[in-house]
């Protein structure tokens, strides 16, 4: 059995999305080819316009409709806290908690010597300038709990320590609703070392 050439192309394109394997890509492709042409064209139009209409904020690196994002435009009404994240989507995850009222800085990745990603590949030169210009008093490092996340957090700590600010990192611990039986040793050890007053 051989799929028509264009259907194969569609499946291959869909497989480029994270978490989409061959089976899911085939399901999506067959669903899409059942749509009316107008619906496919609308989808294609939105994808086509994305590079022009969605941009990285020149200040913080988050995603925006303009060269300056919503957060940077309203910097005067936000607290003098700066949350450092790896990717633009992390900004929106943290913002959706309604727990953070400061500003953001997107690194654009994490340090990874294995993949050849060094400090020069990250949005670091602007970080110190922004901290001074915005009178930032506290930096919150909100990076993954992985080898790369830990290495990047350590690097940031060393770089920012001379600036005399309060530096914190997101707490690590038990996922909500979890039972101790099911939590791995590493998570439990971190939860213990980062325990808080009750
Ligand atoms: Zn911004």
């Amino acid at each position: 059995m051989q799929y028509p050439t264009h259907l194969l192309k569609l499946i291959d394109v869909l497989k480029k999305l994270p978490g989409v394997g061959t089976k899911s890509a085939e399901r999506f492709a067959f669903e899409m080819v059942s749509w009316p042409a107008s619906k496919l064209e609308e989808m294609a139009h939105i994808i086509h316009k994305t590079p022009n209409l969605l941009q990285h904020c020149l200040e913080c690196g988050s995603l925006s409709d303009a060269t300056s994002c919503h957060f940077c435009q309203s910097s005067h009404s936000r607290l003098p806290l700066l949350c450092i994240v790896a990717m633009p989507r992390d900004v929106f995850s943290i913002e959706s908690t309604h727990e953070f009222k400061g500003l953001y800085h997107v690194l654009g990745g994490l340090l990874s010597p294995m993949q050849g990603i060094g400090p020069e590949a990250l949005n670091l030169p602007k970080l110190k300038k922004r901290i001074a210009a915005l009178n930032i008093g506290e930096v919150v490092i909100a990076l993954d709990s992985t080898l790369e996340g830990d290495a990047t957090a350590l690097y940031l700590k060393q770089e920012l320590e001379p600036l005399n600010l309060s530096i914190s990192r997101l707490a690590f611990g038990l996922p909500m609703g979890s039972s101790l039986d099911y939590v791995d040793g590493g998570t439990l050890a971190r939860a213990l070392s980062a325990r808080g007053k009750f």
Side-chain angles (χ1 to χ4, degrees), residues 56-64 67-73 103-104 130:
H56 289 277
C57 171
L58 293 176
E59 274 297 303
C60 71
S62 183
L63 285 173
S64 173
T67 50
S68 179
C69 76
H70 156 77
F71 306 111
C72 291
Q73 279 181 27
L103 292 158
Y104 296 94
R130 290 189 72 214

Side-chain angles (χ1 to χ4, degrees), residues 4-182:
T5 308
H6 193 75
L7 185 58
L8 270 177
K9 276 190 183 172
L10 186 55
I11 291 168
D12 280 345
V13 164
L14 292 167
K15 270 165 65 178
K16 292 185 192 300
L17 293 168
V20 178
T22 304
K23 282 282 159 205
S24 298
E26 286 172 346
R27 204 167 61 243
F28 293 160
F30 277 104
E31 168 67 20
M32 287 166 74
V33 296
S34 74
W35 290 355
S38 60
K39 195 171 168 182
L40 280 172
E41 277 158 16
E42 187 192 350
M43 188 178 188
H45 181 72
I46 290 170
I47 293 170
H48 176 69
K49 288 280 180 192
T50 300
N52 286 330
L53 297 183
L54 199 58
Q55 41 198 313
H56 289 277
C57 171
L58 293 176
E59 274 297 303
C60 71
S62 183
L63 285 173
S64 173
D65 293 323
T67 50
S68 179
C69 76
H70 156 77
F71 306 111
C72 291
Q73 279 181 27
S74 58
S75 60
H76 53 278
S77 60
R78 313 267 306 181
L79 296 174
L81 308 171
L82 190 71
C83 182
I84 304 175
V85 296
M87 302 305 285
R89 71 165 183 274
D90 303 327
V91 169
F92 300 97
S93 299
I94 289 179
E95 192 63 17
S96 69
T97 67
H98 303 291
E99 287 289 326
F100 184 77
K101 307 288 180 202
L103 292 158
Y104 296 94
H105 191 83
V106 181
L107 296 175
L110 293 170
L111 294 178
S112 174
M114 298 282 280
Q115 293 173 37
I117 304 173
E120 67 289 342
L122 305 181
N123 183 18
L124 290 170
K126 204 151 200 188
L127 180 59
K128 287 184 191 173
K129 282 186 198 159
R130 290 189 72 214
I131 288 171
L134 295 163
N135 280 323
I136 296 295
E138 181 182 350
V139 160
V140 182
I141 299 175
L143 302 176
D144 292 353
S145 172
T146 58
L147 272 179
E148 289 84 3
D150 289 349
T152 312
L154 203 62
Y155 178 84
L156 288 171
K157 187 171 177 250
Q158 286 163 357
E159 285 289 301
L160 301 180
E161 242 162 11
L163 301 184
N164 221 0
L165 325 138
S166 165
I167 303 172
S168 54
R169 190 174 178 194
L170 289 191
F172 298 101
L174 305 177
M176 292 283 279
S178 63
S179 157
L180 289 191
D181 284 354
Y182 293 99

Side-chain angles (χ1 to χ4, degrees), residues 191-198:
L192 263 174
S193 66
R195 66 189 181 276
K197 276 226 176 298
F198 185 53

